[in-house]
Amino acid sequence: MSAVMTELKHWSKVEYLHQTVTNPNIHIKGTTSYYSNAWSGNFEQSVVRYLYGDAYSLENWKSDWPIDQLFIGSHVCIAAEAVILMGGNNTHRTDWFSLYPFAEVISEAYIGKGDTVIGDGAWIGMRAMIMPGITIGEGAIVASGAVVTKNVAPYTIVAGNPAQLVKTRFAQQMIDDLLALQIYEWPTAKFAKLQTFICAADIDILVEQALKYDLEHK
């Protein structure tokens, strides 16, 4: 019975990415980012698409171009069935008459989009799709079902297909102050000590407590 229970998937269980990711082209910051995989395979099997570096591609395919990288910050929340498209599929040339990726010209057909970056504290909604070469800013929210075709600014909310700005989460000055604090770069002890103020919405108190902590730990 216990073995069955440990394998049972449930929406309240999450997959911590630093524990499961093996692809060397996926870079996970810290130990807090997770994928909610209750209704699908794990992060590498179902979310990350067309990225060289898994066991099969390493054995069966040699890339003729630099491999794009996937960077995921700390405290990132990725909901079930999200999709992150990577550059391995960028071989359909829209400026050619034929879109077909013929093997004879595959190197010429490939057009890189660059690395994909999901910033610290971002939240990717269920069944959202992130296109290749996109940067999701710190604290941004990608709504469920959104198709992200351009970069998302920090602490904004985007939704729709293609994803459009819905609103900013805070006033711009507060966003600037949050980015300046670099809370996701803090040592673990500082983050834990100030977590009460991070899980709140008073920027003045957060700034004050961060300064106080720094003075006390010089």
Side-chain angles (χ1 to χ4, degrees):
M1 177 64 73
S2 59
V4 173
M5 291 300 293
T6 56
E7 295 175 2
L8 178 67
K9 287 193 173 186
H10 188 270
W11 60 265
S12 64
K13 296 182 179 182
V14 297
E15 171 192 349
Y16 283 98
L17 302 183
H18 73 284
Q19 296 176 341
T20 62
V21 166
T22 60
N23 191 316
N25 299 310
I26 302 176
H27 309 273
I28 309 298
K29 177 181 174 183
T31 61
T32 54
S33 293
Y34 70 83
Y35 171 54
S36 179
N37 69 350
W39 298 289
S40 58
N42 68 27
F43 181 73
E44 286 185 270
Q45 292 172 335
S46 63
V47 177
V48 183
R49 310 289 178 90
Y50 306 114
L51 180 62
Y52 179 81
D54 62 285
Y56 181 86
S57 64
L58 285 172
E59 183 177 343
N60 293 279
W61 179 62
K62 184 180 183 303
S63 174
D64 291 332
W65 48 78
I67 302 300
D68 51 326
Q69 306 291 298
L70 173 58
F71 295 91
I72 298 178
S74 67
H75 297 83
V76 171
C77 311
I78 302 177
E81 300 176 351
V83 171
I84 301 173
L85 291 181
M86 300 299 291
N89 198 39
N90 291 336
T91 53
H92 304 273
R93 288 283 294 267
T94 59
D95 58 332
W96 288 1
F97 299 130
S98 176
L99 297 168
Y100 193 83
F102 292 101
E104 296 83 358
V105 291
I106 199 71
S107 294
E108 293 82 1
Y110 177 79
I111 299 178
K113 302 292 185 180
D115 297 336
T116 297
V117 179
I118 301 179
D120 301 315
W123 179 16
I124 311 301
M126 185 179 290
R127 295 182 178 172
M129 179 177 290
I130 300 172
M131 300 302 285
I134 296 297
T135 293
I136 308 294
E138 177 182 311
I141 298 173
V142 176
S144 296
V147 178
V148 183
T149 61
K150 59 185 179 180
N151 293 345
V152 179
Y155 293 97
T156 59
I157 302 173
V158 299
N161 181 8
Q164 302 291 331
L165 175 67
V166 175
K167 65 177 183 178
T168 57
R169 293 179 57 196
F170 309 108
Q172 188 58 51
Q173 184 57 59
M174 189 180 295
I175 292 174
D176 292 342
D177 291 342
L178 278 169
L179 294 174
L181 282 173
Q182 295 186 300
I183 60 177
Y184 296 104
E185 303 300 328
W186 288 354
T188 302
K190 180 178 180 180
F191 195 97
K193 180 71 174 179
L194 301 183
Q195 185 172 313
T196 299
F197 307 104
I198 296 170
C199 298
D202 192 321
I203 189 64
D204 293 332
I205 291 179
L206 179 58
V207 171
E208 174 188 309
Q209 292 298 319
L211 179 60
K212 179 181 178 183
Y213 181 96
D214 290 344
L215 290 172
E216 292 175 348
H217 293 82
K218 274 188 173 181

